[in-house]
């Protein structure tokens, strides 16, 4: 069964939940159209609550945001009860002037922080829909006006709670006004599981804890997450992903502080959706239709591997292609092209080599452990004539005849010669 997302007179867009796609492979699904099928799901009154076997989520209808996420598996509240700002709150920031953001330039080395003169506002005239049930998720929609930032259509947030996976999704939509005075837009995620929570996020090739194993002097007020950020302790972790808005501030809204080394005291995440603070090589305004989303889960599995898998899966979704029915039926309904069977090894990329006769696999160990690549298994799966280790340029280092050791956090490039 599938979910109708949107339609026009000439085309329809559907979403379908698919189970157990083989690693680096495919599954073929037959589409059966019932011309007379009627959708029988009705809206449900649930007093601003979404609940399933994984979570119970409670909304504050006056603030248009989430005041509680209770994880039934962990038996744990995931939000900070002391936070005045609720999860999903849209925060509009207006600075008195953008020059206060230029304390540290070639001409000015003022290292004394002076609080920015600014105004923070959030949505008003908030309306919350009833629970809207569907085949893949149940959802609640929140709508409100965001003065000076959005036009009369305001901001819409849809909260989705999935049936078949432990996953929460927040989708935002607004029509941005043309504003040239300094402005910023944030969405708040005040996570908290306990007193020993740690923040971490994925960068290119590894995982960083802000202020701890981060290079001193790199950006500390804000960071760009690759595919996930986490709030974790010894017992569990919350995994956060946004494929559309990767810029975040950890702990608080830190704009203009320019920390040399910042160790956040709170496990809060603020998504920095947009700003026009910078005066070089950027437009003075941003306008038009905007859509962005966030995906959240929580798990007792505290490994980097679990966070990496969730983050990458939601950043790079499964690709689907509609193939018209043919005259002959194929018996191959699914197949795995490559299955490394190494949970702590991520296939970052696979691409055709310049010679047109081989594939280069980019592999990375994610857990701080070692892994053994079974070269004979890979050769059997792919039908390769030879398998080699190459460098980042594709230049051969050595031909592989025996299993290959991948060390802690190591990156390897493997060339699979197909003919």
């Amino acid at each position: 069964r599938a979910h109708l997302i949107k339609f026009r007179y000439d085309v329809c867009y559907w979403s379908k939940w698919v189970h157990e796609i083989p690693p680096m492979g495919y599954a073929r699904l037959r589409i059966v159209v019932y011309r007379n099928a009627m959708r029988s799901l009705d809206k449900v009154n649930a007093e601003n609550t979404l609940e399933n076997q994984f979570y119970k989520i409670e909304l504050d209808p006056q603030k248009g945001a989430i005041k509680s996420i209770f994880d039934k598996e962990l038996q744990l509240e995931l939000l900070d009860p002391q936070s005045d700002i609720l999860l999903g709150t849209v925060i509009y920031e207006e600075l008195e002037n953008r020059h206060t953001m230029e304390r540290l330039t070639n001409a000015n080395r003022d290292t004394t922080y002076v609080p920015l003169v600014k105004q923070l506002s959030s949505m008003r005239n908030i309306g919350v829909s009833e629970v809207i049930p569907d085949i893949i998720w149940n959802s609640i929609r929140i709508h409100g006006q965001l003065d000076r930032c959005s036009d009369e259509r305001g901001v819409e947030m849809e909260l989705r709670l999935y049936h078949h996976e432990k996953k929460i999704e927040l989708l935002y939509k607004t029509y941005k006004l043309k504003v040239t005075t300094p402005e910023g837009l944030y969405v708040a995620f005040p996570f908290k599981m306990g007193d020993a929570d740690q923040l971490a996020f994925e960068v290119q090739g590894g995982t960083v804890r802000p202020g701890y194993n981060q290079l001193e002097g790199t950006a500390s007020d804000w960071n760009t997450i690759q595919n996930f950020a986490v709030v974790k302790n010894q017992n569990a972790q919350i995994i956060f992903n946004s494929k559309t808005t990767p810029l975040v501030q950890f702990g608080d809204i830190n704009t203009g502080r320019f920390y040399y080394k910042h160790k956040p005291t709170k496990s809060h995440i603020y998504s920095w959706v947009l700003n026009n603070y910078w005066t070089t090589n950027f437009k003075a305004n941003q306008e038009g239709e905007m859509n962005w989303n966030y995906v959240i889960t929580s798990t007792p599995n505290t490994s980097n591997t679990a966070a990496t898998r969730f983050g990458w899966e939601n950043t790079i979704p499964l690709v689907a292609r509609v193939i018209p029915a043919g005259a002959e039926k194929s018996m191959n309904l699914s197949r795995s092209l490559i299955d490394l069977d190494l949970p702590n090894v991520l296939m970052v990329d696979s691409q055709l080599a310049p010679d047109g006769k081989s594939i280069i696999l980019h592999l990375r160990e994610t857990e701080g452990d070692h892994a053994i690549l079974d070269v004979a298994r890979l050769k059997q799966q792919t039908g390769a004539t030879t398998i080699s280790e190459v460098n980042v340029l594709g230049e051969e280092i050595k031909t592989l005849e025996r299993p290959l050791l991948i060390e802690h956090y190591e990156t390897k490039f493997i060339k699979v010669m197909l003919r």
Side-chain angles (χ1 to χ4, degrees), residues 78-80 87 189-192 231 238 240 267-269 296:
L78 304 183
L79 303 186
D80 186 351
L87 187 142
F189 295 86
F191 296 121
K192 185 178 175 66
V231 175
I238 302 167
F240 168 93
S267 53
H268 297 184
I269 298 174
I296 302 165

Side-chain angles (χ1 to χ4, degrees), residues 149-161:
C149 177
S150 302
D151 68 10
E152 68 279 358
R153 287 169 286 190
V155 179
E156 179 178 283
M157 186 266 275
E158 181 180 358
L159 168 64
R160 293 176 178 174
L161 183 58

Side-chain angles (χ1 to χ4, degrees), residues 95-122:
L95 298 186
E96 183 180 54
N97 68 76
R98 57 174 50 85
H99 300 296
T100 54
M101 291 288 292
E102 299 174 359
R103 287 176 33 239
L104 301 178
T105 67
N106 286 334
N108 182 20
R109 307 303 296 172
D110 182 6
T111 58
T112 302
Y113 173 67
V114 177
L116 302 178
V117 179
K118 62 183 180 180
Q119 177 179 343
L120 299 179
S121 57
S122 55

Side-chain angles (χ1 to χ4, degrees), residues 150-151 154-156 172-176 288-292:
S150 302
D151 68 10
V155 179
E156 179 178 283
Y172 290 82
K173 180 178 181 179
T174 190
Y175 295 86
K176 182 74 179 60
E289 182 178 356
M290 294 181 57
N291 295 273
W292 70 98

Side-chain angles (χ1 to χ4, degrees), residues 59-74:
L59 276 72
D60 184 322
Q62 279 72 46
K63 295 184 178 180
I66 299 168
K67 65 181 180 180
S68 172
I69 301 178
F70 184 77
D71 185 317
K72 296 182 178 181
E73 177 188 16
L74 301 174

